[in-house]
């Protein structure tokens, strides 16, 4: 008998039929004698709908009330699932994050879990009930509802699994597991039977939203075996595990991409020691995160500084930079907010040479100019024009022969309704 935490995402609870389908999956697990805690997301599209309602009333809704609103989607799905389970004679009870005791800090919309109380869950499990918990939410020390950032139900599931010392945390979603790249963009994407925590962390941070970054951090920290599977099809899915337990270490495991980038360039800035820090300091004072940076010294006296910022912060960054350009007497400023960041990730890169050149040549062959490059131990990222996203990912996918991996996609996109 094992203790399993299962999480069902938005599409997996997207309709009453889908909820009933989950009931049968839960019953199967119960029949094997396992104890079960189930975390659910809001029904597909519901969180977006709630956000739009708030924005219709205020461009910047009050942070406390915003979280009070957007957390409600998850409450609906927990109660519907519990109603459906009970109707099928499977004892269950639904709980909000607050009722269970998911304690967070006070950062509305982006709260971090500080502590999870386990007494109530243990009591319910001892009574033979399925405990259905609302994902994405907790309560601050002040007693207010907080939410954990988009995709936060993944983190709820892992946090509960860690607190309960569960045997496995299963993330059920609308694709069959973690793929070499987003299977909705590239049909040749292949299912990965396993991926290292470190690789998954990079993939998620670099744009693969299949798991929230914090859920991977937490699972890695607490050594929670994390499995991503389909709620539509049977199958083993993808095990996210520690590197030493991996059977095969690939040079490149996956390709992630993010459409949330913008590039700003300052050219011909008179050079003095510390000018780079001065410029980027002004950006960070405005709480804008700078991601990639390149600097060229042009002649003796001037530099060009190019950097990327999140697309949502691009206007604010642009306003700061145009003022700085005047103040520093830069020759010109320019921007490109129609760019994407494309990254390859793999632990085998640590020991393999020629990976960057394979990536750059693949892009070159299909005529895609690279605007910026960064590398770290297990990833290489480039910024390219948004219009080249699909052909760029496909070219790199082929260059590393990821399309030759054995596990083809089983799923038809129409089926997921997502
Ligand atoms: P859920 O609602 O179940 O939490 P999400 O939409 O958050 O589901 O995450 C699943 C989606 O992640 C998939 O539908 C897919 O489009 C996207 N995705 C991006 N990159 C990958 C990848 N490498 N492998 C699998 N899915 C990916
Ligand atoms: N419902 C929330 C969202 O759409 C949380 C989640 O689905 O994980 O972001
Ligand atoms: Mg998600």
């Amino acid at each position: 008998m094992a203790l399993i935490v299962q999480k069902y995402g938005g599409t997996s609870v997207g309709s009453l039929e889908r909820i009933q389908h989950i009931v049968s999956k839960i019953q199967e697990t119960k029949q094997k004698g396992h104890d079960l805690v189930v975390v659910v997301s809001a029904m597909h599209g519901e969180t977006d709908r709630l956000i739009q309602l708030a924005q219709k009333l205020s461009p910047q809704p009050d942070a406390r009330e915003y979280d009070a609103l957007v957390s409600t989607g998850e409450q609906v799905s927990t109660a519907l699932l519990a109603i459906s389970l009970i109707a099928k004679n499977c004892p269950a009870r639904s709980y909000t994050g607050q009722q269970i005791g998911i304690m967070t800090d006070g950062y509305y919309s982006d709260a971090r879990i500080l502590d999870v109380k386990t007494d109530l869950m243990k009591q319910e499990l001892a009574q033979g009930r399925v405990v259905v918990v609302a994902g994405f939410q907790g309560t601050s020390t002040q007693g207010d509802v907080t939410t954990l950032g988009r995709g936060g139900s993944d983190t709820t599931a892992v946090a509960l699994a860690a607190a309960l010392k569960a045997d496995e945390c299963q993330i059920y979603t609308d694709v069959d597991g973690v793929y070499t790249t987003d299977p909705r963009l590239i049909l040749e994407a292949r299912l990965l039977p396993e991926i290292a925590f470190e690789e998954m962390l990079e993939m998620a941070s670099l744009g693969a939203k299949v798991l929230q970054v914090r859920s991977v951090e937490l699972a890695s920290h607490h050594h929670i075996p994390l499995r991503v599977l389909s709620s539509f099809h049977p199958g083993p899915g993808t095990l996210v595990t520690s590197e030493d337990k991996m059977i095969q270490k690939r040079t490149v495991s996956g390709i992630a991409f993010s459409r949330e980038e913008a590039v700003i360039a300052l050219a011909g800035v008179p050079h003095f020691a510390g000018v780079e820090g001065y410029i980027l300091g002004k950006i960070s004072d405005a709480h804008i995160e700078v991601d990639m940076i390149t600097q060229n010294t042009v002649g003796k006296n001037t530099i060009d500084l190019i950097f990327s910022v999140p697309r949502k912060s691009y206007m604010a960054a642009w306003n700061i930079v145009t003022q700085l350009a005047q103040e520093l007497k830069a020759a010109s400023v320019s921007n490109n907010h129609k760019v994407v960041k494309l990254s390859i990730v793999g632990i085998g890169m640590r020991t393999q040479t020629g990976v960057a050149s394979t990536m750059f040549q693949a892009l070159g062959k299909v005529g895609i100019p690279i605007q910026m490059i960064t590398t770290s131990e297990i990833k290489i990222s480039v910024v390219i024009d948004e219009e080249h996203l699909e052909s760029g990912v496909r070219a790199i996918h082929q260059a590393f022969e990821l399309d030759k991996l054995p596990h083809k996609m089983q799923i038809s996109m129409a089926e997921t309704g997502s």
Side-chain angles (χ1 to χ4, degrees):
M1 194 180 93
L3 170 56
I4 297 173
V5 175
Q6 294 183 339
K7 176 253 170 177
Y8 291 93
T11 314
S12 310
V13 293
S15 66
L16 296 183
E17 291 72 36
R18 296 298 316 152
I19 290 176
Q20 281 167 327
H21 175 69
I22 288 176
V23 168
S24 51
K25 288 181 77 70
I26 291 172
Q27 281 178 316
E28 273 169 33
T29 312
K30 282 289 286 177
Q31 274 154 17
K32 287 181 191 150
H34 301 318
D35 279 341
L36 201 55
V37 173
V38 178
V39 173
V40 286
S41 290
M43 293 169 89
H44 179 70
E46 181 61 9
T47 309
D48 288 338
R49 189 185 74 85
L50 294 167
I51 292 172
Q52 278 163 19
L53 286 179
Q55 279 167 350
K56 277 188 188 149
L57 294 172
S58 162
Q60 271 184 318
D62 178 83
R64 179 183 184 277
E65 303 315 323
Y66 180 89
D67 274 17
L69 173 72
V70 298
S71 62
T72 59
E74 270 67 14
Q75 288 187 43
V76 172
S77 24
T78 47
L80 287 175
L81 179 57
I83 288 170
S84 191
L85 281 164
I86 295 164
K88 294 276 188 230
N89 296 321
C90 179
R93 267 191 190 161
S94 72
Y95 288 99
T96 65
Q98 199 160 20
Q99 284 175 309
I100 282 296
I102 298 176
M103 312 307 297
T104 74
D105 61 22
Y107 288 95
Y108 297 114
S109 298
D110 196 25
R112 275 178 183 264
I113 297 175
L114 303 175
D115 187 29
V116 175
K117 309 267 182 265
T118 54
D119 302 359
L120 183 53
M121 285 190 284
K122 284 183 180 158
Q123 233 169 283
E124 291 290 25
L125 291 172
Q127 302 280 320
R129 293 195 186 101
V130 175
V131 188
V132 185
V133 182
F136 179 54
Q137 55 179 265
T139 178
S140 68
T141 37
Q142 254 107 55
D144 290 332
V145 178
T146 51
T147 61
L148 310 177
R150 296 307 303 264
S153 300
D154 298 331
T155 303
T156 305
V158 176
L160 298 190
L164 290 165
K165 301 192 171 47
D167 297 284
E168 189 164 292
C169 182
Q170 302 171 343
I171 307 286
Y172 285 91
T173 185
D174 56 8
V175 287
D176 293 348
V178 180
Y179 282 79
T180 48
T181 190
D182 189 342
R184 290 185 193 284
L185 184 78
I186 303 292
L187 285 173
E188 301 89 321
R190 291 292 188 269
L191 182 66
L192 296 166
E194 53 177 11
I195 185 167
F197 280 123
E198 230 184 306
E199 291 174 318
M200 193 60 238
L201 202 54
E202 290 285 8
M203 290 280 282
S205 314
L206 295 165
K209 67 164 187 170
V210 60
L211 286 173
Q212 198 196 36
V213 178
R214 274 185 205 156
S215 71
V216 188
E217 277 168 3
L218 212 56
S220 165
H221 183 76
H222 293 279
H223 307 285
I224 305 287
L226 188 61
R227 194 176 284 279
V228 181
L229 331 92
S230 163
S231 66
F232 292 80
H233 300 118
T238 304
L239 181 66
V240 191
T241 185
S242 52
E243 194 180 325
D244 52 308
K245 296 210 178 95
M246 287 196 45
I247 298 160
Q248 201 192 359
K249 289 176 194 163
R250 285 170 301 267
T251 306
V252 174
S253 284
I255 306 172
F257 52 85
S258 157
R259 295 185 176 89
E260 284 151 31
E261 314 288 317
V263 170
I264 297 185
L266 266 160
V269 185
H271 201 191
F272 58 87
V275 66
E276 299 86 354
Y278 181 71
I279 295 168
L280 295 175
K282 294 276 181 198
I283 306 285
S284 65
D285 287 350
H287 301 285
I288 298 170
E289 207 181 308
V290 171
D291 179 15
M292 293 167 140
I293 306 166
T294 57
Q295 191 254 42
N296 295 323
T297 309
V298 187
K300 266 197 175 156
N301 303 322
T302 60
I303 58 156
D304 294 344
L305 190 70
I306 309 169
F307 56 90
S308 67
V309 292
R311 206 177 283 183
K312 64 176 186 323
S313 316
Y314 142 76
M315 270 317 289
W318 179 242
N319 290 336
I320 296 169
V321 168
T322 46
Q323 277 178 20
L324 275 170
Q326 279 190 354
E327 178 190 327
L328 298 170
K329 302 197 177 18
S332 67
V333 276
S334 59
N335 65 66
N336 188 352
H337 62 277
K338 296 228 164 98
V339 292
V340 287
K341 182 166 71 177
L342 209 149
S343 311
I344 56 172
V345 173
I347 45 179
M349 246 184 248
R350 285 197 200 112
T351 50
Q352 195 81 24
T353 54
V355 182
S357 57
T358 305
M359 180 188 194
F360 303 158
Q361 281 162 10
L363 292 171
K365 265 189 211 150
V366 289
I368 300 175
I370 298 171
Q371 300 180 19
M372 297 181 87
I373 299 171
T374 55
T375 64
S376 74
E377 215 189 359
I378 65 158
K379 66 136 196 210
I380 302 170
S381 301
V382 296
V383 168
I384 60 171
D385 263 334
E386 195 174 73
E387 57 170 325
H388 298 309
L389 172 64
E390 194 177 329
S391 55
V393 177
R394 183 164 285 116
I396 297 172
H397 201 262
Q398 276 169 6
F400 289 102
E401 300 192 331
L402 296 178
D403 49 343
K404 304 236 166 77
L405 294 177
H407 304 272
K408 260 194 112 170
M409 190 157 64
Q410 294 180 31
I411 188 168
S412 100
M413 289 303 153
E415 193 177 1
T416 68
S418 179

